[in-house]
């Protein structure tokens, strides 16, 4: 899973550099698929329950599961969530980042930064003996203390031989509740943070989840292993600290 996670992290990093005004989300999807296959892995989302692409690309008020399109062209000031999964020798990895398109507003920057930091707070909780509710509560408290909302309809998940495994990992909940974390568990934790209200609805394409009130959203996800030495981020990308137990600390 570490090998697959490394691929997802590398490809997300490549995609983040391809995000620029004028690029279409279909082009980002093309790059994502080529780079995953080039590394000997397979796209995890393509044909999953009929999903038609490698990448989920969700722009502005789209929260998750945006389907890449030729006619969806990025503009300066947009924010885009890039969500990518791969399967390598039967094991899955899943991660997402939200990146700015050119210069973005200060409000958008703050939203993205809070979403990113909420995932970091979640990871800090992921020691053996802690509980799912400790992760959930850490995200919710961090986000709501800053005036933003967490989405309820979509949650993080266990991951391994399947993309989605038990347990569910909500981004809201009570500290000290839920399943206890133990060494060897691997979870995909994915806070979805909105500027105003948390409600989302799914568009007629059957996939794209957008905020009901039109407010913009940011989404970050990592695949994280629980080890004796603490959390280990398997999908860390270039320049990001994979955590205390990783032994692959990046420069
Ligand atoms: N990270 C997302 C999730 O865990 C991506 C799934 S897209 C799908 O739900 F197409 F595979 F469903
Ligand atoms: Co996921």
């Amino acid at each position: 899973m570490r090998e697959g996670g490394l691929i997802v992290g590398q490809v997300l990093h490549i995609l983040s550099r391809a995000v620029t005004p004028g690029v279409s989300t279909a082009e980002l999807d093309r790059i994502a698929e080529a780079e995953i296959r080039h590394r000997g892995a397979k796209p995890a989302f393509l044909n999953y329950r009929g999903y038609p692409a490698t990448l989920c690309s969700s722009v502005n008020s789209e929260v998750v599961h945006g389907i890449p399109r030729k006619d969806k062209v990025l503009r300066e000031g947009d924010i885009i969530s890039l969500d990518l999964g791969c399967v390598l020798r039967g094991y899955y990895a899943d991660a997402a980042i939200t990146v700015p398109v050119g210069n973005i507003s200060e409000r958008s920057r703050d939203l993205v930064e809070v979403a990113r930091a909420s995932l970091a707070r979640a990871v800090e909780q992921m020691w053996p003996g802690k509980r799912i509710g400790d992760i959930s509560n850490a995200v919710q408290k961090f986000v709501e203390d800053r005036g933003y909302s967490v989405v309820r309809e979509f949650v993080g998940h266990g991951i391994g031989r399947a993309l989605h495994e038990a347990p569910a990992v909500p981004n809201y909940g009570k500290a000290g509740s839920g399943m206890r974390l133990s060494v060897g568990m691997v979870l995909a934790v994915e806070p979805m943070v909105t500027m105003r209200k948390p409600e989302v609805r799914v568009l007629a394409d059957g996939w794209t989840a957008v905020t009901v009130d039109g407010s913009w959203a940011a989404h970050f996800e990592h695949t994280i292993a629980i080890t004796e030495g603490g959390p280990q981020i398997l999908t860390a990308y270039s320049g990001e600290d994979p955590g205390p137990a990783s032994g692959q600390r990046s420069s």
Side-chain angles (χ1 to χ4, degrees):
M1 291 186 75
R2 184 175 293 115
E3 287 177 48
L6 198 58
I7 291 171
V8 170
Q10 286 172 345
V11 177
L12 280 177
H13 185 69
I14 290 167
L15 291 173
S16 73
R17 292 159 53 127
V19 166
T20 179
V23 77
S24 73
T25 54
E27 172 64 9
L28 297 174
D29 182 64
R30 190 195 62 74
I31 296 169
E33 180 167 0
E35 293 290 344
I36 282 184
R37 294 197 191 281
H38 175 71
R39 288 166 172 74
K42 283 192 200 144
F45 303 165
L46 187 61
N47 301 322
Y48 179 87
R49 297 177 182 226
Y51 187 74
T54 294
L55 182 70
C56 296
S57 53
S58 309
V59 180
N60 300 345
S61 62
E62 298 172 353
V63 182
V64 287
H65 303 166
I67 302 173
R69 297 201 324 247
K70 262 192 253 174
D71 62 349
K72 183 96 183 175
V73 175
L74 300 182
R75 294 186 304 192
E76 179 117 29
D78 288 345
I79 58 174
I80 179 170
S81 153
L82 306 167
D83 187 352
L84 186 69
C86 83
V87 54
L88 182 69
R89 298 196 297 277
Y91 286 90
Y92 284 78
D94 185 8
I97 55 177
T98 297
V99 296
V101 182
N103 279 314
I104 63 172
S105 71
E106 202 163 309
R107 290 177 71 217
S108 303
R109 231 184 349 257
D110 190 65
L111 171 73
V112 170
E113 195 39 49
V114 166
R116 183 203 315 280
S118 77
L119 176 55
R121 293 298 183 100
V123 173
E124 284 173 10
Q125 295 295 319
M126 296 176 68
W127 287 75
K130 292 281 212 166
R131 292 178 181 272
I132 295 291
D134 296 321
I135 300 173
S136 306
N137 187 257
V139 172
Q140 181 175 24
K141 184 160 178 11
F142 186 82
V143 168
E144 292 182 352
D145 280 355
R146 282 154 187 80
Y148 298 113
S149 301
V150 293
V151 169
R152 310 292 201 269
E153 285 94 331
F154 298 97
V155 297
H157 47 94
I159 182 168
R161 305 282 305 202
L163 176 60
H164 295 129
E165 297 183 352
V169 186
N171 296 302
Y172 58 95
K174 247 181 76 174
S177 72
M179 182 188 283
R180 208 179 273 282
L181 307 182
S182 57
V183 171
M185 286 179 64
V186 185
L187 302 176
V189 179
E190 48 181 319
M192 287 146 268
V193 178
T194 68
M195 199 85 86
R196 297 191 301 274
K197 291 187 177 162
E199 287 79 18
V200 302
R201 65 188 175 88
V202 175
L203 296 184
D205 65 16
W207 283 100
T208 311
V210 300
T211 58
V212 171
D213 69 3
S215 67
W216 286 18
H219 173 216
F220 283 85
E221 177 174 19
H222 269 312
T223 295
I224 303 136
I226 317 276
T227 79
E228 251 162 66
Q232 185 169 344
I233 298 173
L234 303 185
T235 45
Y237 32 91
S238 179
E240 200 187 27
D241 184 348
S246 71
Q248 53 158 18
R249 198 169 283 270
S250 46
S251 53

